[in-house]
């Protein structure tokens, strides 16, 4: 009996819709073509789950030279014209003056937490205690923190989100110089002394991989140093020591009184093996994640030392290059003991996934070459306004599982996740709704099905802001900011409204699945057309 293909399709579609409607589940428009993997589930996150959004000082504050603030390397970098269209963060979202409004935006979504960063040169204009403390700078953060607390929002403070005092770059060469570890510790101690009674969650560094590779390896971020084979390893070495010092300072002097948590935020794409059956590609994907997140997480959260695979790779490459020693610096035994265990949670920033293939690389010293990994993102993956960011929701679940397995079931905060849309006035940001829906749902699967200890989620970002070298050309916000308006007016986007529902329910109820209505309508129309 010849059955028409069209009929089989129709039966399949009806069955699919029926199953989705009866199970309370549905598939979002699926570009990856794996309905089983990409089906949305309903369920709630654990009680006490932290819901937040995030920003950073240079990206939102403005007030670059106000009230005694010193210059940072990003002030210099932007004033040198290194940013898209010669843009700068001089005014940015003007949060230096508008922080009370920002707090109301956070509150309107019902978020429990707000993650922001302190600008080091705003409170220490010369970078050091000896150079004097800027009281107006300290007051700004006191006011912001008090405003958050008065609105029942818990502050989460990042100490270093890339805006190093310029004078420390000039005088010491920045993070390549060991002295910075002590200077950072002084700065951290000052922040703890001022704010530890009000702040319970501290993040020392945001994404040191981006600082070291983009800032010291390829030089596309401040301070713009191009030294792909050496400087990133040296800078990372100092940053890890600086982190450990600040962590120990908190534990020794503040913990018994305030009981807060201190850790670091690390970024990596999820590494997907090009051929998931191929041992070499699996190895390449793991190496990639070890070189990005493991570089810092292994010493800090595991054993005080770099991942073996990094020591092996960089050591071998250095030898092949005829160098007398590895370009990867070594920690002393004493340092290892001091660094080991200096993190109370895993702060994870993740946006996308990258496909990894094993490829032996030769040539001049280069951090990327050291990895023996060829990376790419398939052309048929969806895109965003950022060339590096292709939405791949299932990669987040993979990454959360990698972190869980690698770091012994550690508590994880997703400290950043989000997507960029082009620079246009559009409050109907459906792409962002779809992104958050799919990514958050994968996070829920990781938590509910895989036992990942996910304890919080921070959307990047509360509002459109200064997107580093891309300036204002890429918008990541839950709120639209009018950068032409001297008042930098903020307007809620659809994504903020959508997130409000998710936060209120602490997850996905079946009702929230009504987001799928257009899909169901489409399918129904199709069935109607095929049959009647
Ligand atoms: C993170 N990349 O940075 C930062 O923590 C934020 O300040 C930033 O705004 C956000 O992600 C969105 O970009 C990144 O080129 C910057 O791969 C660049 C890259 C990744 C992360």
């Amino acid at each position: 009996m010849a059955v028409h293909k069209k009929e089989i399709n129709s039966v399949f579609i009806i069955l699919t819709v029926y199953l989705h409607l009866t199970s309370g589940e549905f598939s979002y428009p699926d570009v990856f073509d794996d309905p089983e993997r990409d089906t949305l589930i309903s369920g709630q996150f654990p009680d006490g789950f932290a819901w937040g959004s995030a920003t950073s000082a240079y990206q939102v504050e403005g007030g670059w030279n106000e009230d005694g603030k010193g210059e940072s390397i990003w002030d210099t970098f932007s004033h040198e014209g290194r940013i898209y269209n010669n843009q700068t963060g001089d005014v940015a979202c003007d949060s230096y003056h508008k922080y009370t409004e920002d707090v109301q935006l956070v509150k309107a979504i019902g978020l429990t937490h707000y993650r922001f960063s302190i600008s080091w040169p705003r409170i220490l204009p010369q970078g050091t205690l000896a150079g004097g403390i800027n009281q107006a700078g300290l007051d700004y953060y006191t006011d912001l923190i008090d405003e958050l607390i008065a609105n029942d929002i818990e502050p989460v403070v990042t100490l270093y989100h890339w805006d190093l005092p310029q004078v420390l770059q000039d005088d010491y060469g920045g993070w390549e110089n060991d002295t910075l570890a002590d200077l950072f510790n002084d700065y951290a101690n000052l922040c703890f002394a001022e704010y530890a009674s009000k702040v319970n969650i501290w993040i020392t560094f945001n994404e040191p991989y981006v600082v070291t590779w983009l800032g010291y390896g390829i030089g596309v971020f401040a301070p713009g140093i191009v030294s792909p084979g050496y400087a990133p390893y040296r800078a990372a070495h100092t940053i890890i020591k600086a982190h450990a010092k600040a962590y120990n300072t908190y534990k020794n002097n503040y913990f018994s009184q305030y009981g807060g948590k201190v850790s670091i935020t690390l970024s990596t794409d999820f590494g997907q093996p090009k051929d998931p059956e191929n041992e070499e590609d699996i190895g390449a994907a793991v190496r990639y994640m070890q070189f990005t997140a493991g570089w810092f997480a292994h010493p800090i959260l595991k054993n005080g030392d770099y991942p073996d695979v990094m020591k092996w790779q960089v050591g071998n490459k250095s030898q092949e290059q005829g160098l007398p020693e590895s370009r990867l610096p070594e920690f002393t035994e004493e340092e290892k003991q001091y660094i080991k265990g200096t993190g109370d949670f895993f702060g994870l920033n993740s946006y996308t996934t990258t496909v990894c293939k094993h490829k032996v690389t030769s040539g001049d010293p280069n951090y990327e070459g050291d990895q023996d990994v060829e990376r790419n993102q398939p052309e048929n993956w969806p895109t965003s306004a950022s060339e590096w960011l292709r939405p791949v929701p299932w990669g987040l679940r993979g990454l959360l599982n990698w972190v869980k397995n690698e770091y012994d079931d550690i508590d994880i905060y997703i400290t950043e996740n989000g997507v960029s849309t082009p620079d246009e006035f559009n409050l109907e940001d459906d792409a962002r709704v779809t992104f958050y829906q799919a990514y958050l749902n994968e996070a829920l699967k990781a938590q509910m099905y895989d036992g990942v200890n996910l304890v919080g989620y921070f959307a990047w970002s509360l509002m459109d802001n200064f997107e580093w070298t891309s300036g204002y050309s890429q918008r990541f916000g839950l709120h639209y900011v009018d950068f032409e308006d001297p008042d930098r007016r903020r307007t809620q986007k659809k994504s903020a409204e959508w997130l409000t529902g998710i936060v209120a329910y602490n997850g996905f109820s079946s009702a929230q699945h009504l987001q799928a209505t257009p899909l169901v309508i489409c399918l129904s129309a199709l069935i109607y057309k095929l049959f009647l």
Side-chain angles (χ1 to χ4, degrees):
M1 190 177 71
V3 184
H4 205 280
K5 198 172 164 231
K6 210 162 138 187
E7 281 164 22
I8 296 179
N9 276 344
S10 312
V11 170
F12 175 73
I13 289 168
I14 289 184
L15 206 65
T16 313
V17 171
Y18 175 76
L19 285 176
H20 286 156
L21 291 178
T22 51
S23 66
E25 295 177 351
F26 73 97
S27 283
Y28 51 84
D30 175 22
V31 287
F32 299 110
D33 212 20
D34 185 345
E36 195 180 332
R37 182 193 58 202
D38 297 335
T39 296
L40 293 176
I41 63 162
S42 45
Q44 286 171 303
F45 288 95
D47 285 347
F49 193 76
W51 286 102
S53 65
T55 59
S56 86
Y58 189 71
Q59 294 179 275
V60 301
E61 281 179 6
W64 75 279
N65 61 354
E66 267 182 70
D67 299 338
K69 177 182 167 292
E71 288 185 32
S72 81
I73 55 174
W74 275 94
D75 290 315
T76 309
F77 203 64
S78 67
H79 293 157
E80 280 171 356
R82 300 286 304 265
I83 311 297
Y84 169 83
N85 262 358
N86 271 324
Q87 292 170 340
T88 72
D90 289 1
V91 181
C93 306
D94 198 22
S95 290
Y96 186 61
H97 299 110
K98 294 174 72 77
Y99 66 92
T100 53
E101 254 185 65
D102 295 346
V103 172
Q104 289 313 308
L105 304 181
V106 178
K107 192 180 178 182
I109 303 177
L111 298 170
T112 56
H113 291 64
Y114 179 55
R115 173 176 177 238
F116 64 93
S117 79
I118 295 180
S119 158
W120 183 345
R122 192 178 292 289
I123 68 175
L124 292 173
Q126 297 301 313
T128 61
L129 290 172
I133 296 170
N134 181 31
Q135 188 58 43
L138 284 180
D139 292 347
Y140 170 67
Y141 298 107
T142 301
D143 292 346
L144 171 57
I145 291 166
D146 288 348
E147 186 71 14
L148 287 165
I149 293 171
N151 284 278
D152 264 335
I153 299 160
E154 204 182 305
V156 176
V157 173
T158 307
L159 291 170
Y160 188 81
H161 203 125
W162 309 355
D163 44 356
L164 187 76
Q166 178 63 43
V167 59
L168 300 185
Q169 194 65 46
D170 297 341
D171 292 358
Y172 297 94
W175 293 109
E176 287 191 76
N177 189 319
D178 232 36
T179 310
L180 269 271
D182 290 318
L183 299 180
F184 176 78
N185 185 46
D186 291 344
Y187 158 63
N189 188 35
L190 173 63
C191 295
F192 296 148
E194 287 293 314
Y195 312 122
S197 63
K198 301 168 181 175
V199 173
N200 289 310
I201 306 177
W202 293 89
I203 292 162
T204 53
F205 288 86
N206 179 72
E207 299 193 358
Y209 152 73
V210 170
V211 173
T212 53
W213 178 235
L214 275 65
Y216 290 78
I218 51 177
V220 296
F221 276 17
I225 290 165
V226 182
S227 167
Y230 296 88
Y233 294 122
R234 288 195 288 258
H237 208 64
T238 312
I239 287 176
I240 292 164
K241 288 195 251 185
H243 161 85
K245 283 202 158 111
Y247 181 92
N248 284 306
T249 294
Y250 185 89
K251 285 288 144 157
N252 296 335
N253 303 300
Y254 301 92
F255 182 74
S256 62
Q257 201 176 346
Y258 303 117
K261 295 188 271 194
V262 182
S263 201
I264 188 163
T265 273
L266 304 173
S267 57
T268 182
D269 299 355
F270 176 58
Q272 165 73 10
K274 183 164 172 78
D275 174 359
E277 310 284 307
N278 179 324
E279 287 297 325
E280 284 192 331
D281 288 353
I282 295 170
V286 168
R287 271 202 309 282
Y288 163 73
M289 291 188 282
Q290 290 292 5
F291 265 83
T292 47
W295 191 3
F296 305 91
H298 201 278
I300 291 168
L301 301 172
K302 274 196 133 151
N303 72 351
D305 201 2
Y306 295 114
D308 283 343
V309 72
M310 271 190 92
K311 293 199 281 187
W312 170 264
Q313 290 285 130
V314 185
N316 280 348
K317 296 281 176 202
S318 303
Q319 202 171 36
E320 281 165 27
Q321 286 149 356
L323 301 167
E325 57 180 16
S326 176
R327 286 176 281 106
L328 184 70
E330 281 179 23
F331 293 115
T332 65
E333 278 314 311
E334 206 185 330
E335 284 169 341
K336 286 181 198 168
Q337 290 311 313
Y338 186 75
I339 292 164
K340 180 181 161 181
T342 55
D344 300 328
F345 56 85
F346 196 112
L348 178 68
N349 288 0
S350 194
Y351 290 85
T352 191
T353 286
T354 189
V355 174
C356 301
K357 183 176 166 46
H358 175 73
K359 188 183 177 211
V360 178
T361 315
S362 55
D364 291 341
N366 185 300
Y367 156 83
E368 285 198 332
D370 287 338
Q371 301 177 30
D372 284 337
V373 179
E374 185 181 80
R375 296 197 289 129
N376 85 303
Q377 293 184 308
E379 279 303 311
N380 63 343
W381 283 6
T383 55
S384 71
S386 310
E387 179 245 328
W388 53 273
L389 199 176
R390 287 177 184 260
V392 190
W394 49 264
L396 180 63
R397 183 174 176 187
L399 182 59
L400 287 167
N401 274 281
W402 183 77
V403 172
K404 168 192 155 70
N405 294 333
E406 190 67 19
Y407 304 103
D408 208 11
D409 288 324
I410 192 168
D411 282 354
I412 303 172
Y413 286 94
I414 294 176
T415 40
E416 278 179 33
N417 176 237
V419 71
S420 56
T421 46
D423 180 19
E424 61 193 17
F425 179 71
N426 177 16
L427 302 178
E428 299 291 309
D429 57 339
D430 293 298
R432 185 166 290 101
V433 173
T434 306
F435 180 96
Y436 278 131
Q437 171 167 263
Y439 269 74
L440 265 168
N441 209 264
E442 292 298 310
L444 182 63
K445 287 176 195 169
Q447 198 277 320
M448 273 176 49
Y449 296 162
D450 310 335
V452 170
N453 289 323
L454 183 65
V455 295
Y457 178 94
F458 293 74
W460 184 272
S461 174
L462 177 64
M463 57 196 150
D464 299 333
N465 58 46
F466 178 85
E467 179 52 24
W468 307 112
T469 40
S470 306
Y472 302 97
S473 64
Q474 300 174 6
R475 293 177 176 267
F476 275 88
L478 293 164
H479 295 87
Y480 180 85
V481 178
D482 182 354
F483 294 105
E484 304 292 313
D485 177 359
D487 196 35
R488 296 299 190 272
R489 202 159 86 90
R490 292 106 158 93
T491 316
Q492 209 186 45
K493 299 184 195 173
K494 188 174 179 179
S495 53
E497 195 192 323
W498 176 85
L499 187 60
T500 310
I502 295 291
V503 173
Y505 186 75
N506 197 28
F508 292 80
S509 69
S510 324
Q512 271 142 354
H513 286 169
L514 291 177
Q515 276 293 329
T517 305
L519 182 71
V520 174
I521 291 171
C522 275
L523 289 177
S524 313
L526 193 66
I527 292 160
Y528 181 82
K529 199 165 167 241
L530 290 173
F531 275 93
L532 304 169

